């Protein structure tokens, strides 16, 4: 069984152990098939597949902020701050496991909030063709599904889900699925207040 979150819906994760929530796995999978727009665009490289990247903005209780993402090789750490790590970088969408963020739910007292996002690193901004889906898994509970069911955007960045600390006991999770031109605009929309510069991987 799984719970399919609706846009704007907020649910609280169920704490099954006194130690905490355990490992919270945020998985992104998408359709890697290339967009084809005719013979000429194929010759010009217009039929490449889409490379989506999974990442997050985080804010810790001590005030430190940052991003965990493949861009800039900021893969984070599960056992040390920010207690969030990214498992590699699927450049094609062909890997069965997709891309995974791991949040250390036993260190919830250290984490204020986490904004999970995806952005198109390479390929056409065709979100419907990408057909991306996010699955949130944690011990002893039903999976939470965040479907990207809003498509009409040429923006390359999409805020997916917002985790917020609730009295150091659990996280609330809200489905966002809102599109932005890039990291800076996403940051501004949620008041993160970080400084951004161009990066690569």
């Amino acid at each position: 069984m799984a719970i399919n979150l609706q846009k704007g819906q907020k649910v609280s994760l169920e704490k099954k152990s006194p130690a905490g929530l355990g490992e919270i796995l945020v998985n992104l999978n998408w359709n890697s098939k290339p967009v084809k727009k005719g013979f000429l665009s194929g010759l010009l490289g217009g039929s490449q597949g889409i490379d989506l990247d999974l990442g997050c903005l985080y804010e810790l209780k001590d005030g430190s902020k940052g991003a965990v993402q493949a861009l800039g090789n900021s893969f984070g750490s599960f056992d040390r701050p920010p207690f969030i790590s990214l498992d590699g970088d699927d450049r094609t969408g062909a890997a069965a496991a997709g891309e995974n963020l791991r949040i250390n739910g036993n260190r919830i007292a250290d984490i204020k909030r986490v904004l999970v996002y995806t952005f198109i690193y390479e390929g056409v901004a065709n979100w419907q063709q990408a057909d991306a889906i996010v699955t949130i898994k944690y011990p002893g509970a039903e999976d939470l599904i965040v479907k990207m069911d809003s498509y009409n955007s040429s923006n390359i960045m999409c805020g997916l889900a917002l985790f917020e600390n609730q009295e150091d006991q659990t996280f609330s999770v809200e489905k966002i699925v809102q599109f932005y031109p890039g990291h800076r605009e996403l940051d501004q929309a949620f008041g993160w207040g970080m400084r951004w510069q161009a990066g690569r991987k």
Side-chain angles (χ1 to χ4, degrees), residues 5-102:
L5 294 183
Q6 303 303 307
K7 188 167 182 176
Q9 182 181 0
K10 186 182 291 188
V11 299
S12 294
L13 302 187
E14 297 180 47
K15 188 176 178 181
K16 299 290 186 177
S17 165
L21 291 165
E23 178 181 311
I24 303 165
L25 182 72
V26 183
N27 171 263
L28 171 70
N29 248 309
W30 71 95
N31 178 8
S32 64
K33 292 178 182 177
V35 180
K36 294 185 177 179
K37 295 185 177 179
F39 177 72
L40 185 59
S41 66
L43 289 177
L44 298 175
S47 62
Q48 76 272 25
I50 292 176
D51 176 14
L52 290 184
D53 272 7
L54 178 66
C56 72
L57 299 179
Y58 64 81
E59 182 177 0
L60 302 184
K61 285 292 196 71
D62 65 5
S64 58
K65 302 175 184 179
V68 175
Q69 59 179 23
L71 191 64
N73 292 315
S74 300
F75 287 94
S77 174
F78 187 77
D79 296 312
R80 300 185 304 277
F83 308 110
I84 305 165
S85 65
L86 177 67
D87 293 351
D89 176 24
D90 180 6
R91 299 299 291 271
T92 65
E99 292 194 5
N100 296 290
L101 273 171
R102 298 165 61 227

Side-chain angles (χ1 to χ4, degrees), residues 33-177:
K33 292 178 182 177
V35 180
K36 294 185 177 179
K37 295 185 177 179
F39 177 72
L40 185 59
S41 66
L43 289 177
L44 298 175
S47 62
Q48 76 272 25
I50 292 176
D51 176 14
L52 290 184
D53 272 7
L54 178 66
C56 72
L57 299 179
Y58 64 81
E59 182 177 0
L60 302 184
K61 285 292 196 71
D62 65 5
S64 58
K65 302 175 184 179
V68 175
Q69 59 179 23
L71 191 64
N73 292 315
S74 300
F75 287 94
S77 174
F78 187 77
D79 296 312
R80 300 185 304 277
F83 308 110
I84 305 165
S85 65
L86 177 67
D87 293 351
D89 176 24
D90 180 6
R91 299 299 291 271
T92 65
E99 292 194 5
N100 296 290
L101 273 171
R102 298 165 61 227
I103 302 172
N104 191 337
N106 292 340
R107 301 301 298 260
I108 188 168
D110 297 291
I111 303 170
K112 183 177 180 180
R113 57 179 180 156
V114 180
L115 177 61
V116 178
Y117 57 77
T118 184
F119 62 95
I120 298 173
Y121 182 72
E122 288 179 339
V124 180
N126 185 332
W127 292 101
Q128 186 166 10
Q129 185 263 338
D131 194 26
I133 185 169
V134 171
T135 306
I136 301 167
K137 301 172 179 283
Y138 64 106
E142 293 177 307
D143 293 351
L144 300 178
I145 304 296
V146 177
K147 289 185 177 179
M148 292 187 64
D149 41 17
S150 299
Y151 301 125
N152 298 325
S153 179
S154 58
N155 290 327
I156 64 168
M157 168 73 72
C158 181
L160 294 169
L162 180 65
F163 290 73
E164 292 182 293
N165 185 306
Q166 292 188 313
E167 300 179 350
D168 293 345
Q169 296 298 310
T170 187
F171 285 116
S172 65
V173 181
E174 180 182 356
K175 178 178 177 177
I176 304 296
V177 187

